[in-house]
Amino acid sequence: MYNAFGQSEVSIIYTQLNQYYVVLEVAPEYWQSPEGLKYIYLRSGNTGSGAIGNVPLSSIASYQSSTTPLAVNHTSLFPSVTVSFNLANGVSLSDATQRIAQMQQRLGTPSTIRGFFAGTLLAYQQSLDSEKALIAIALLSVYIVLGILYESLVHPLTIISTIPSASVGAMLALMLFNIDLNVISIIGIILLIGIVKKKRHHDD
């Protein structure tokens, strides 16, 4: 089938000035329509009498005309399909993620089919993955700065102990104004840590 319709390169003819590629295929009148499949024969091997017989393709396979995609998208060499969606009013990215996971479980998706998020939702998940490390680095930076200012290893812990109450206040403010915990909110909480640190430094 590939030798007949695949336009395979079988040889190269070299001349003094140019080179010409030899492409193997059937004559144009046989590949311009599906009717050319009637003239494709397969070798059947030894027939018992020492001769090799030819079997028409139509005797072992059936074919019909249908529609097919013009292109097949791939992700990491695997065929893939991209499904896009928009958030409804009042639905956050975290809610959308949970609903998609629940729908995937209800559909009983086979293990051979794998899905992952992209775009804004992928950036949201990546930000959540680095959220703990980001807050830990911020607290460590605050502790180092306060330790240098007070020349003490214990006094900065006293100031840092006030940060949880400030974080609780920030979370209550987000819930009060119905604001999602997104990347901007996380940055705001980290800035709040800096404000608390600065205020306690001035008070002391």
Side-chain angles (χ1 to χ4, degrees):
M1 293 290 292
Y2 183 75
N3 289 336
F5 304 104
Q7 296 183 343
S8 58
E9 179 185 322
V10 295
S11 181
I12 301 177
I13 300 176
Y14 296 95
T15 63
Q16 294 181 352
L17 298 178
N18 297 313
Q19 60 184 17
Y20 302 91
Y21 295 93
V22 180
V23 177
L24 177 63
E25 64 176 357
V26 296
E29 58 267 22
Y30 294 107
W31 59 258
Q32 290 180 350
S33 69
E35 297 298 323
L37 294 174
K38 296 180 179 179
Y39 305 99
I40 300 298
Y41 289 81
L42 307 175
R43 288 191 176 187
S44 62
N46 198 327
T47 59
S49 60
I52 297 178
N54 294 327
V55 178
L57 178 65
S58 57
S59 65
I60 62 173
S62 60
Y63 53 89
Q64 62 181 1
S65 300
S66 63
T67 59
T68 185
L70 296 178
V72 179
N73 298 324
H74 288 76
T75 301
S76 300
L77 301 181
F78 294 99
S80 63
V81 176
T82 301
V83 179
S84 302
F85 65 93
N86 294 322
L87 294 176
N89 294 330
V91 178
S92 62
L93 284 175
S94 58
D95 294 336
T97 304
Q98 294 177 357
R99 294 182 184 181
I100 292 174
Q102 293 173 358
M103 180 182 64
Q104 188 175 1
Q105 293 178 354
R106 290 197 305 268
L107 293 176
T109 307
S111 59
T112 55
I113 299 179
R114 299 182 179 180
F116 60 91
F117 297 108
T120 305
L121 198 50
L122 177 61
Y124 171 74
Q125 287 186 329
Q126 291 176 347
S127 66
L128 290 182
D129 294 337
S130 60
E131 177 184 358
K132 296 180 180 179
L134 185 62
I135 295 177
I137 293 174
L139 292 175
L140 180 61
S141 301
V142 170
Y143 178 79
I144 293 174
V145 172
L146 292 177
I148 295 174
L149 292 176
Y150 291 102
E151 299 180 354
S152 173
L153 297 177
V154 179
H155 192 60
L157 296 176
T158 305
I159 300 177
I160 293 178
S161 63
T162 61
I163 291 177
S165 59
S167 300
V168 171
M171 298 300 296
L172 292 176
L174 292 177
M175 296 175 60
L176 178 62
F177 293 98
N178 196 20
I179 299 176
D180 299 328
L181 181 61
N182 49 30
V183 178
I184 303 300
S185 302
I186 295 173
I187 295 175
I189 293 175
I190 294 176
L191 291 177
L192 181 61
I193 294 174
I195 294 173
V196 172
K197 181 233 13 169
K198 183 178 179 181
K199 184 178 185 302
R200 286 302 302 265
H201 171 62
H202 286 304
D203 291 342
D204 294 340

